Amino acid sequence: MSTPTMFIGGAWHTTTAAMVQQTFDEIFGVGIITKVDGVKRKGDARDYMLFFIYTNPKTTPELDKFIGQIQRNGSANIIYDEQDHFWKVQLNKTQSKGKRVMTEEEEAGRRLKR
């Protein structure tokens, strides 16, 4: 089963990519998550982090079950500490289509977002 990229949309600003990687490694096994990218954002109330989580094409039954839960419910939670704090994990809906010439529709969509 090919696994899509996952997304955490609102982690504390102190959360690091290494923390996300370590947590996912503990839950799903070392080597299943191949890369975690973090992006810092400024919010009205507080700064926060976004994370994109990339997986190995070789999955585990646990990861397949987790992805299935996200697909059915729109998200699933990962508890990352002893105080039961959690990250809401979703599938990244903006999957890359690879290298290509941008279509007129894509260009128009980008102009509208500005």
Side-chain angles (χ1 to χ4, degrees):
M1 174 180 182
S2 173
T3 56
T5 303
M6 293 177 281
F7 174 76
I8 297 172
W12 288 105
H13 70 282
T14 55
T15 306
T16 66
M19 292 165 68
V20 174
Q21 177 81 46
Q22 180 180 5
T23 300
F24 275 74
D25 284 350
E26 288 174 16
I27 294 171
F28 299 113
V30 174
I32 298 302
I33 304 303
T34 58
K35 182 175 154 188
V36 177
D37 286 334
V39 180
K40 194 170 275 200
R41 293 283 190 231
K42 291 198 174 289
D44 292 335
R46 65 177 176 89
D47 294 349
Y48 61 98
M49 293 292 294
L50 308 175
F51 290 97
F52 297 90
I53 302 134
Y54 303 90
T55 59
N56 189 328
K58 175 186 156 245
T59 68
T60 63
E62 294 83 9
L63 182 61
D64 289 342
K65 182 177 177 182
F66 184 68
I67 296 289
Q69 183 179 348
I70 296 171
Q71 289 171 330
R72 284 188 305 281
N73 302 320
S75 67
N77 297 329
I78 293 283
I79 297 173
Y80 61 87
D81 67 11
E82 290 75 29
Q83 288 81 36
D84 289 341
H85 294 124
F86 64 90
W87 296 311
K88 180 178 179 180
V89 182
Q90 300 171 300
L91 297 181
N92 180 11
K93 295 179 182 166
T94 58
Q95 298 291 323
S96 172
K97 297 175 187 169
K99 295 177 184 176
R100 68 196 183 289
V101 174
M102 187 180 289
T103 67
E104 290 176 5
E105 292 82 14
E106 288 173 318
E107 287 183 33
R110 287 193 181 219
R111 281 193 294 271
L112 289 175
K113 289 181 182 177
R114 291 183 188 169

